[in-house]
Amino acid sequence: MKNFKANGLPLLIGSLPMDSHEEATKLVLAHIPDIPLWVQLPLYKEEGMINQFLPGLPGFTEEIEKSFIDTSKPEFNEEFIAFFEEYLSVTESGSDVGASRFALSGTRGKGFFEFLKQVDKRGAPFTALKGQVTGPITFGTAVKDENDKDIFYNDQLKDAAIKKLAMNARWQAKEFSKRGAIPIIFLDEPALAGFGTSTYITITKEDVIQSIEEIVQEIHAENGLAGVHVCANTEWDMLLGSNIDIISFDTFSFFDKFILYPEMIKTYFKQGKILAWGIVPTHKAEVIEAQTTQGLVQLLHDQMDELSEKIQIDKETVISQSFITPSCGTGSLDLESAKKVLRLTKEVSAAFRRD
């Protein structure tokens, strides 16, 4: 995978404001035919980035108003043992991960299986196929126990959550590999934008890296590329120094913060790794409306020129190790704004590669 070249191709972050998985997948394939992704539709609560990956965890409890992990229920210890027995069965005994609790299923897996259906129907080869799981920091600090405490701070529950996400990522990569495509699996980590603040004061860089790299290891085991998406600013040295293959960042709003790590970025590129430049803004409809393809292409050229000069790596190399993306997902936008984001991503990538 170290020889994979992104070459300025477009890539998406996983959500759309639609209620039809079939139409959402068609929209993705129409705009991003080389490396399409399966779509999360947050209009369905089961496809929220936390809810989608909750079932299968020991102690999982779903009530009308909330879902949580209940360690006080009498059968919790039995569920916990069963979880790890199944984990070991898949990882050490070769049981089918697709038939396990680690695969998406039912209402939470509709987008994934619709995607596979349309990919199989198309039959044409793809450069790669993209999927995603919620990152372990975001997931572990959003999911609560019965006392309303984040499960990330309970070592037992944190370990189970990371392994659940890791095996789901591996399952996705395995399904993509079956179709002759390179798997690209992203860890979506919006919580890392708050790293270092009082909210996450007890979480260390080591906690972040160890949690992420356990998932990366499973993606690599299926010969996949592992990416991390952070939709705002963070302490980028954590990720630049990790085993992550692709770092996805909001270059439209935070380029000036990202380039504060020139030596680490240089080393990152020297390792053959990839940046996903989130040049198409997604945070406000009026900002999206104001953008033009030509304007975004020029902004991206200016940023890449600046980075190339700062890290002393030629721009052609930078481009060959770059994807063009939106700055974040579009699930919270109105549909017309979301469609414009997809169109701009496609057009900026095409224009950039022509240049």
Side-chain angles (χ1 to χ4, degrees):
M1 293 298 99
K2 290 188 183 300
N3 296 323
F4 180 89
K5 298 298 181 187
N7 290 327
L9 284 169
L11 204 65
L12 294 178
I13 312 301
S15 61
L16 281 168
M18 300 175 71
D19 60 9
S20 166
H21 296 91
E22 181 180 359
E23 293 306 313
T25 304
K26 286 179 179 177
L27 189 66
V28 167
L29 286 166
H31 287 83
I32 315 293
D34 296 295
I35 310 179
L37 87 167
W38 68 272
V39 187
Q40 294 162 304
L41 303 184
L43 286 175
Y44 300 103
K45 71 172 187 176
E46 299 92 347
E47 295 186 37
M49 66 184 304
I50 303 303
N51 283 336
Q52 194 157 39
F53 298 99
L54 274 172
L57 283 173
F60 171 58
T61 303
E62 193 168 29
E63 296 181 349
I64 295 174
E65 294 297 322
K66 64 177 181 176
S67 299
F68 60 99
I69 304 301
D70 189 354
T71 65
S72 68
K73 57 198 248 185
E75 60 270 32
F76 175 76
N77 287 338
E78 186 179 326
E79 288 184 13
F80 192 81
I81 291 168
F83 176 91
F84 275 91
E85 285 178 343
E86 190 165 0
Y87 172 78
L88 291 173
S89 177
V90 169
T91 56
E92 296 185 5
S93 302
S95 296
D96 180 13
V97 66
S100 75
R101 70 177 72 210
F102 304 111
L104 291 172
S105 62
T107 57
R108 295 169 210 256
K110 284 184 177 179
F112 185 83
F113 290 106
E114 177 62 34
F115 178 62
L116 294 186
K117 176 183 170 184
Q118 292 195 33
V119 163
D120 291 344
K121 185 177 179 181
R122 180 158 296 205
F126 294 90
T127 302
L129 296 173
K130 179 180 178 287
Q132 57 275 328
V133 296
T134 306
I137 311 304
T138 299
F139 190 80
T141 56
V143 180
K144 312 295 183 185
D145 66 12
E146 72 276 11
N147 298 313
D148 206 36
K149 293 184 178 178
D150 301 352
I151 66 168
F152 195 85
Y153 301 105
N154 177 315
D155 288 343
Q156 190 181 41
L157 298 180
K158 177 176 77 170
D159 188 36
I162 292 170
K163 285 177 167 53
K164 173 78 166 34
L165 295 168
M167 296 312 298
N168 184 274
R170 182 165 185 171
W171 165 71
Q172 291 183 45
K174 193 179 188 74
E175 289 297 322
F176 296 160
S177 290
K178 287 179 186 176
R179 288 152 175 85
I182 294 168
I184 295 177
I185 310 295
F186 267 39
L187 284 62
D188 292 331
E189 277 287 19
L192 285 186
F195 181 79
T197 66
S198 58
T199 307
Y200 305 111
I201 195 69
T202 60
I203 298 179
T204 67
K205 288 184 179 181
E206 290 72 25
D207 291 330
V208 173
I209 296 308
Q210 286 174 9
S211 301
I212 285 174
E213 290 197 342
E214 183 169 343
I215 302 175
V216 170
Q217 184 177 337
E218 296 298 337
I219 298 167
H220 285 171
E222 295 295 338
N223 295 314
L225 293 168
V228 170
H229 168 70
V230 183
C231 48
N233 190 39
T234 191
E235 295 185 25
W236 295 106
D237 56 319
M238 287 188 299
L239 301 180
L240 287 164
S242 74
N243 286 324
I244 285 291
D245 305 298
I246 306 166
I247 292 176
S248 169
F249 71 110
D250 178 354
T251 193
F252 183 87
S253 299
F254 296 101
F255 175 73
D256 60 328
K257 300 290 193 298
F258 184 78
I259 61 168
L260 295 176
Y261 305 86
E263 288 305 315
M264 294 196 77
I265 296 171
K266 182 175 184 175
T267 300
Y268 182 84
F269 270 111
K270 292 283 189 182
Q271 293 170 335
K273 296 182 177 183
I274 296 167
L275 290 182
W277 299 69
I279 191 64
V280 182
T282 58
H283 52 295
K284 288 183 180 179
E286 56 266 31
V287 176
I288 297 166
E289 180 59 32
Q291 305 309 311
T292 65
T293 300
Q294 184 178 3
L296 291 176
V297 168
Q298 187 58 56
L299 176 59
L300 190 54
H301 272 302
D302 292 345
Q303 291 180 348
M304 284 194 177
D305 286 339
E306 185 176 346
L307 181 71
S308 176
E309 184 177 350
K310 191 175 281 279
I311 67 175
Q312 296 182 312
I313 290 179
D314 65 89
K315 189 177 176 184
E316 289 72 21
T317 298
V318 171
I319 294 170
S320 75
Q321 293 172 227
S322 294
F323 284 121
I324 311 301
T325 76
S327 62
C328 200
T330 60
S332 62
L333 294 171
D334 64 273
L335 184 55
E336 287 311 306
S337 294
K339 286 181 176 179
K340 181 169 183 181
V341 167
L342 266 62
R343 178 174 59 78
L344 285 171
T345 302
K346 175 184 178 181
E347 291 177 355
V348 169
S349 170
F352 206 78
R353 283 178 285 148
R354 280 198 305 270
D355 291 347

